Amino acid sequence: MTEFSIRPRRSMIFAPGDKPRMFSRALDMGADMVCIDLEDAVAPDDKDAARDGTVGVFRQFQPGTKIPETLVRINSLHSLEGLKDVTALLDLPNPPDGFMLAKVKSHGEIVMMDDLLVEAGANSVLHVMIETNDALEHAFQIAMASQRVQSLVFGAIDMAADLRTTPDWENLLFARSRVVHAAAGAGVDLIDVPWLDLENMDGLKDEAQRSARLGFSGKAAIHPKQIPILNDIFSPSVEEVDRARQIIAAFEAGDGGLVVYDGKLIEKPVLRSMQRIVAIASTR
């Protein structure tokens, strides 16, 4: 089974699929992840042109292991447009680093996408949007459906509509907490919805700090000026990095599945969290 490297995912910015030139500019904005959006950002009549443009981008661009991680958000696999997206992108010699799956309802979609990636010989990973009530109900099974799943992405707007409420923090706290539980249980990253008010940077900081305290790994941005704030909030402290390195060294020196650090028993599942902290620190 393929092993996928741990990467920092503190910030993500979208580039609309019908404006491919914005993708190259987005690569230099400092985000850990750059995602071409073929779904919500593209009008129905422009889907084919956006898909063709995105394929053209990846014929020239060579995805790799360096920051930023390159993604494409495809249309729902329940739709013809989504199937067209997958077919076109998997026909490339170098598909994107990852695919973001929208409007997911069950783990079966993840299994199907994994099978398609295997058949195409692609090493792309998966980032799964939890934005429907069905996905919320099955979030842990979705996160565990494939080793390719590297993050869950919380979609507040669609989730709020499904739950018949508004996308305020308090109203969606239960939904966010449930997705935190699923991501933590599966050992994958968790990306929060973007803050939409560009004039309220204090609001951005407050919500990002709440997300970080709750257990999110990062947050999407809608403008470059939001990215430095997100990178700072979702970066570990110097003390956290030092502790992580010491715990990793203790595991490497030990010959069992657990170690004792600072008088406390540290089990092996903690190791991936420590490795993630060090991976984030390496981007500074």
Side-chain angles (χ1 to χ4, degrees), residues 174-237:
F174 171 79
R176 273 191 172 91
S177 300
R178 186 161 184 170
V179 180
V180 167
H181 180 268
V188 301
D189 287 319
L190 179 57
I191 314 301
D192 199 14
V193 65
W195 175 260
L196 301 179
D197 187 351
L198 283 177
E199 303 306 315
N200 185 0
M201 301 303 280
D202 288 336
L204 168 68
K205 292 177 184 178
D206 178 65
E207 185 167 279
Q209 288 168 345
R210 290 187 185 196
S211 296
R213 289 195 298 267
L214 194 61
F216 281 75
S217 312
K219 191 172 179 65
I222 61 169
H223 191 278
K225 70 180 183 180
Q226 296 178 327
I227 293 171
I229 295 172
L230 299 180
N231 286 348
D232 179 60
I233 289 173
F234 289 99
S235 290
S237 66

Side-chain angles (χ1 to χ4, degrees), residues 8 16 19-20 23 43 50 60 71 91 98 133 159 191 217 244-245 266 268 278:
K19 298 177 182 177
F23 174 71
Q60 301 175 21
L71 317 178
D91 194 44
N133 201 21
M159 182 65 73
I191 314 301
S217 312
R245 287 179 171 147
I266 306 293
K268 198 168 184 178
V278 172

Side-chain angles (χ1 to χ4, degrees), residues 20-21 23-24 27 36 52-64 70 92-95:
R21 291 183 180 179
F23 174 71
S24 59
L27 293 173
I36 296 183
D52 291 343
T54 300
V55 167
V57 165
F58 282 97
R59 287 200 185 280
Q60 301 175 21
F61 177 76
Q62 299 295 315
T70 59
L92 288 165
N94 292 293

Side-chain angles (χ1 to χ4, degrees), residues 74-79 82-83 86 99-117 126-132 134-135 138 141-143 145-146 148-149:
I74 62 175
N75 290 280
S76 169
L77 292 176
H78 294 281
S79 70
L83 297 177
V86 173
F99 289 84
M100 185 178 294
L101 306 185
K103 305 296 188 294
V104 169
K105 296 182 179 180
S106 75
H107 75 283
E109 295 165 63
I110 314 306
V111 174
M112 181 181 77
M113 188 67 183
D114 191 310
D115 289 343
L116 292 172
L117 290 166
L126 299 176
H127 300 271
V128 185
M129 296 204 68
I130 305 298
E131 55 183 341
T132 69
D134 287 334
H138 303 293
Q141 291 92 332
I142 288 170
S146 166
R148 292 180 190 268
V149 176

